[in-house]
């Protein structure tokens, strides 16, 4: 247990001032200066180096009951972060160690050391622990292999395929022996990336025409697995293309997160009777038992270069909100990261 002699007195943090209706607006938030609390027994003080912004955070801005508590108004928001321990009153974590934790949206965080996971900057870049080797990577791994019960030879369709989760889903499916992997994305540049860099067999820009028609062209023999990050017309198209005993894993539905009225459901759900299809939602928090297996297998693919990943890096805590809004707009390719 150790403490550096001089520690900063204050640091900046983002707070939610009011619950957004529809698209979040800058006036719903504030970047405030806050006093830094020295660690007590069993606690650490961390200087954050990289912050994560993710689509699920939009749900936490609402007061509606969900699987995770909403952000508290007037208090610092939370999210994934990686940083360096600069003061410690906890056994097992020393000044200079790097940790993964959920005290994001701020420059400094003081918290119980039990909530931190020590990470090795020599094994992978620190930012990777927020993406390819972090929560988003485990989401892809668990959703495809466990929730969707992927098996060798399956044909797989992934929406939001150029994002942090989707790009990993498609590559894991290929590495595990998928017969065909199809992805959708929101620009021709992202479509090119999916095929040329990530090894997807086919991809399409959902803005270029009806999703159902483009999916039918890309997967004329149908799909066995659909990994849903988008919802809406993508989900309806996937149900229409589903083969017998096909499986749909619902990870997210970013197309409806800012709706002020409930979105209509797919109009072709009766097709699940014909196909004996299955739709199942999942949360990564239910699958942390897979973490050691995930880190071992995916870590090896990352080191060998078999699994590629991209990051969109935004500099500065002052741009944290804009980075989050960029995720909702689909500005990012791969994981959106804020570097402090």
């Amino acid at each position: 247990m150790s403490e550096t002699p001089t520690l900063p007195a204050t640091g900046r943090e983002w707070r939610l001032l009011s619950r957004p209706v529809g698209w979040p607006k800058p006036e719903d938030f504030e970047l405030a200066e806050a006093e830094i609390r020295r660690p007590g027994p069993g606690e650490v003080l961390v200087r954050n180096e990289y912050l994560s912004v993710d689509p699920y955070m939009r749900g936490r801005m609402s007061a509606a009951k969900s699987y995770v508590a909403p952000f508290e108004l007037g208090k610092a928001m939370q999210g994934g972060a990686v940083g360096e321990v600069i003061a410690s009153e906890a056994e097992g974590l020393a000044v200079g160690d790097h940790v993964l934790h959920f005290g994001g949206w701020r420059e400094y965080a003081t918290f119980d050391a039990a909530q931190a996971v020590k990470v090795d900057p020599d094994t992978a870049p620190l930012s990777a622990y927020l993406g390819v080797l972090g929560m988003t990577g485990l989401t892809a791994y668990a959703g495809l292999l466990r929730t969707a019960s992927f098996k060798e030879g399956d044909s797989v369709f992934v929406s939001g395929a150029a994002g942090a989760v989707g790009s990993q889903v498609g590559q894991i499916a290929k590495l595990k022996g998928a017969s065909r992997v199809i992805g959708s994305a929101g620009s021709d540049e992202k479509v090119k990336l999916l095929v040329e860099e990530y090894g997807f067999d086919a991809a399409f820009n959902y803005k270029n025409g009806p999703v159902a028609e483009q999916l039918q062209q890309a997967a004329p023999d149908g799909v066995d697995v659909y990994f849903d990050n988008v919802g809406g017309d993508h989900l309806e198209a996937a149900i229409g293309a589903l083969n017998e005993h096909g499986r749909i894993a619902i990870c997210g539905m970013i197309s409806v997160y800012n709706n002020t009225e409930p979105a209509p459901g797919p109009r072709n759900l009766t097709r699940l009777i014909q196909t004996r299809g299955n739709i199942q939602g999942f949360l990564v928090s239910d699958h942390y038992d897979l973490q050691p297996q995930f880190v071992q297998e995916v870590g090896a693919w990352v080191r060998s270069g078999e699994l590629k990943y991209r990051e969109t890096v935004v500099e500065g805590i002052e741009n944290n909100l804009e980075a989050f809004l960029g995720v909702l707009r689909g500005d990012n390719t791969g994981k959106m990261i804020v570097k402090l």
Side-chain angles (χ1 to χ4, degrees), residues 14 52 56-57 60 69-71 76-80 102-106:
W14 280 96
S52 177
Y56 81 86
M57 293 173 174
R60 295 199 67 187
F71 291 132
M77 294 157 61
Q78 298 150 336
F102 280 93
W105 287 84
R106 68 198 83 181

mmCIF file of all heavy atoms in Angstrom, residues 14 52 56-57 60 69-71 76-80 102-106:
data_model
loop_
_atom_site.group_PDB
_atom_site.id
_atom_site.type_symbol
_atom_site.label_atom_id
_atom_site.label_comp_id
_atom_site.label_asym_id
_atom_site.label_seq_id
_atom_site.Cartn_x
_atom_site.Cartn_y
_atom_site.Cartn_z
ATOM 1 N N TRP A 14 -18.220 14.357 -16.023
ATOM 2 C CA TRP A 14 -19.474 14.638 -16.720
ATOM 3 C C TRP A 14 -20.645 14.226 -15.842
ATOM 4 O O TRP A 14 -20.647 13.148 -15.256
ATOM 5 C CB TRP A 14 -19.529 13.874 -18.041
ATOM 6 C CG TRP A 14 -18.761 14.536 -19.139
ATOM 7 C CD1 TRP A 14 -17.486 14.265 -19.528
ATOM 8 C CD2 TRP A 14 -19.231 15.581 -19.987
ATOM 9 N NE1 TRP A 14 -17.115 15.078 -20.564
ATOM 10 C CE2 TRP A 14 -18.169 15.902 -20.877
ATOM 11 C CE3 TRP A 14 -20.425 16.286 -20.094
ATOM 12 C CZ2 TRP A 14 -18.292 16.884 -21.853
ATOM 13 C CZ3 TRP A 14 -20.548 17.266 -21.073
ATOM 14 C CH2 TRP A 14 -19.487 17.564 -21.939
ATOM 15 N N SER A 52 -14.587 4.612 -22.134
ATOM 16 C CA SER A 52 -15.459 3.950 -23.096
ATOM 17 C C SER A 52 -16.791 4.676 -23.180
ATOM 18 O O SER A 52 -17.336 5.106 -22.158
ATOM 19 C CB SER A 52 -15.690 2.493 -22.675
ATOM 20 O OG SER A 52 -16.596 1.854 -23.552
ATOM 21 N N TYR A 56 -25.433 1.327 -24.796
ATOM 22 C CA TYR A 56 -26.291 1.025 -23.641
ATOM 23 C C TYR A 56 -26.424 2.214 -22.693
ATOM 24 O O TYR A 56 -27.381 2.305 -21.912
ATOM 25 C CB TYR A 56 -25.760 -0.196 -22.878
ATOM 26 C CG TYR A 56 -24.615 0.090 -21.929
ATOM 27 C CD1 TYR A 56 -24.862 0.507 -20.621
ATOM 28 C CD2 TYR A 56 -23.289 -0.018 -22.333
ATOM 29 C CE1 TYR A 56 -23.814 0.804 -19.752
ATOM 30 C CE2 TYR A 56 -22.243 0.277 -21.471
ATOM 31 C CZ TYR A 56 -22.508 0.683 -20.190
ATOM 32 O OH TYR A 56 -21.482 0.990 -19.330
ATOM 33 N N MET A 57 -25.458 3.141 -22.743
ATOM 34 C CA MET A 57 -25.498 4.293 -21.849
ATOM 35 C C MET A 57 -26.710 5.175 -22.103
ATOM 36 O O MET A 57 -27.174 5.884 -21.197
ATOM 37 C CB MET A 57 -24.209 5.111 -21.996
ATOM 38 C CG MET A 57 -22.973 4.373 -21.502
ATOM 39 S SD MET A 57 -21.458 5.280 -21.882
ATOM 40 C CE MET A 57 -20.241 4.272 -21.024
ATOM 41 N N ARG A 60 -29.378 4.251 -19.722
ATOM 42 C CA ARG A 60 -29.142 4.675 -18.349
ATOM 43 C C ARG A 60 -29.471 6.152 -18.131
ATOM 44 O O ARG A 60 -29.557 6.612 -16.989
ATOM 45 C CB ARG A 60 -27.687 4.424 -17.952
ATOM 46 C CG ARG A 60 -27.300 2.949 -17.909
ATOM 47 C CD ARG A 60 -26.050 2.730 -17.094
ATOM 48 N NE ARG A 60 -26.275 3.010 -15.681
ATOM 49 C CZ ARG A 60 -25.309 3.021 -14.764
ATOM 50 N NH1 ARG A 60 -24.058 2.764 -15.131
ATOM 51 N NH2 ARG A 60 -25.573 3.278 -13.500
ATOM 52 N N ALA A 69 -29.335 0.291 -13.186
ATOM 53 C CA ALA A 69 -29.893 1.502 -12.595
ATOM 54 C C ALA A 69 -29.605 2.717 -13.475
ATOM 55 O O ALA A 69 -28.538 2.813 -14.095
ATOM 56 C CB ALA A 69 -29.302 1.712 -11.205
ATOM 57 N N PRO A 70 -30.537 3.671 -13.544
ATOM 58 C CA PRO A 70 -30.288 4.879 -14.329
ATOM 59 C C PRO A 70 -29.205 5.752 -13.693
ATOM 60 O O PRO A 70 -28.951 5.668 -12.487
ATOM 61 C CB PRO A 70 -31.646 5.595 -14.322
ATOM 62 C CG PRO A 70 -32.369 5.069 -13.131
ATOM 63 C CD PRO A 70 -31.877 3.670 -12.930
ATOM 64 N N PHE A 71 -28.577 6.575 -14.522
ATOM 65 C CA PHE A 71 -27.645 7.557 -13.985
ATOM 66 C C PHE A 71 -28.405 8.485 -13.038
ATOM 67 O O PHE A 71 -29.556 8.844 -13.298
ATOM 68 C CB PHE A 71 -27.036 8.397 -15.113
ATOM 69 C CG PHE A 71 -26.092 7.655 -16.018
ATOM 70 C CD1 PHE A 71 -26.208 7.748 -17.393
ATOM 71 C CD2 PHE A 71 -25.064 6.881 -15.498
ATOM 72 C CE1 PHE A 71 -25.333 7.098 -18.238
ATOM 73 C CE2 PHE A 71 -24.172 6.215 -16.337
ATOM 74 C CZ PHE A 71 -24.316 6.320 -17.706
ATOM 75 N N ALA A 76 -21.795 12.275 -11.088
ATOM 76 C CA ALA A 76 -20.924 11.796 -12.159
ATOM 77 C C ALA A 76 -21.508 10.554 -12.813
ATOM 78 O O ALA A 76 -22.009 9.648 -12.141
ATOM 79 C CB ALA A 76 -19.540 11.492 -11.600
ATOM 80 N N MET A 77 -21.467 10.524 -14.128
ATOM 81 C CA MET A 77 -21.910 9.353 -14.873
ATOM 82 C C MET A 77 -20.844 8.264 -14.777
ATOM 83 O O MET A 77 -19.748 8.498 -14.278
ATOM 84 C CB MET A 77 -22.198 9.745 -16.325
ATOM 85 C CG MET A 77 -23.392 10.690 -16.433
ATOM 86 S SD MET A 77 -23.385 11.685 -17.926
ATOM 87 C CE MET A 77 -23.455 10.425 -19.186
ATOM 88 N N GLN A 78 -21.193 7.078 -15.242
ATOM 89 C CA GLN A 78 -20.291 5.934 -15.123
ATOM 90 C C GLN A 78 -20.114 5.251 -16.470
ATOM 91 O O GLN A 78 -20.966 5.350 -17.356
ATOM 92 C CB GLN A 78 -20.862 4.923 -14.118
ATOM 93 C CG GLN A 78 -21.006 5.481 -12.718
ATOM 94 C CD GLN A 78 -22.143 4.838 -11.962
ATOM 95 O OE1 GLN A 78 -23.084 4.328 -12.552
ATOM 96 N NE2 GLN A 78 -22.054 4.860 -10.645
ATOM 97 N N GLY A 79 -19.018 4.552 -16.591
ATOM 98 C CA GLY A 79 -18.738 3.792 -17.796
ATOM 99 C C GLY A 79 -17.392 3.114 -17.669
ATOM 100 O O GLY A 79 -16.630 3.372 -16.725
ATOM 101 N N GLY A 80 -17.083 2.263 -18.602
ATOM 102 C CA GLY A 80 -15.810 1.564 -18.586
ATOM 103 C C GLY A 80 -14.640 2.524 -18.725
ATOM 104 O O GLY A 80 -14.723 3.536 -19.426
ATOM 105 N N PHE A 102 -15.186 0.788 -13.709
ATOM 106 C CA PHE A 102 -16.370 1.440 -14.276
ATOM 107 C C PHE A 102 -16.542 2.876 -13.789
ATOM 108 O O PHE A 102 -17.633 3.429 -13.851
ATOM 109 C CB PHE A 102 -17.621 0.605 -13.981
ATOM 110 C CG PHE A 102 -17.761 -0.555 -14.919
ATOM 111 C CD1 PHE A 102 -17.254 -1.803 -14.573
ATOM 112 C CD2 PHE A 102 -18.347 -0.402 -16.162
ATOM 113 C CE1 PHE A 102 -17.345 -2.872 -15.443
ATOM 114 C CE2 PHE A 102 -18.438 -1.460 -17.043
ATOM 115 C CZ PHE A 102 -17.939 -2.698 -16.691
ATOM 116 N N GLY A 103 -15.465 3.500 -13.356
ATOM 117 C CA GLY A 103 -15.511 4.905 -12.967
ATOM 118 C C GLY A 103 -15.120 5.809 -14.109
ATOM 119 O O GLY A 103 -14.196 6.621 -13.987
ATOM 120 N N GLY A 104 -15.820 5.667 -15.226
ATOM 121 C CA GLY A 104 -15.533 6.474 -16.402
ATOM 122 C C GLY A 104 -16.260 7.812 -16.390
ATOM 123 O O GLY A 104 -16.823 8.217 -15.379
ATOM 124 N N TRP A 105 -16.218 8.529 -17.511
ATOM 125 C CA TRP A 105 -16.800 9.858 -17.672
ATOM 126 C C TRP A 105 -16.145 10.871 -16.716
ATOM 127 O O TRP A 105 -16.745 11.868 -16.348
ATOM 128 C CB TRP A 105 -18.320 9.847 -17.467
ATOM 129 C CG TRP A 105 -19.091 9.211 -18.590
ATOM 130 C CD1 TRP A 105 -19.329 7.884 -18.753
ATOM 131 C CD2 TRP A 105 -19.718 9.869 -19.699
ATOM 132 N NE1 TRP A 105 -20.067 7.662 -19.893
ATOM 133 C CE2 TRP A 105 -20.335 8.872 -20.492
ATOM 134 C CE3 TRP A 105 -19.849 11.206 -20.095
ATOM 135 C CZ2 TRP A 105 -21.042 9.157 -21.667
ATOM 136 C CZ3 TRP A 105 -20.556 11.499 -21.261
ATOM 137 C CH2 TRP A 105 -21.145 10.479 -22.035
ATOM 138 N N ARG A 106 -14.910 10.610 -16.264
ATOM 139 C CA ARG A 106 -14.212 11.515 -15.355
ATOM 140 C C ARG A 106 -12.708 11.297 -15.496
ATOM 141 O O ARG A 106 -12.261 10.274 -16.002
ATOM 142 C CB ARG A 106 -14.666 11.270 -13.919
ATOM 143 C CG ARG A 106 -14.242 9.929 -13.345
ATOM 144 C CD ARG A 106 -15.047 9.529 -12.129
ATOM 145 N NE ARG A 106 -16.308 8.912 -12.525
ATOM 146 C CZ ARG A 106 -17.228 8.473 -11.674
ATOM 147 N NH1 ARG A 106 -17.066 8.616 -10.384
ATOM 148 N NH2 ARG A 106 -18.337 7.903 -12.096
#
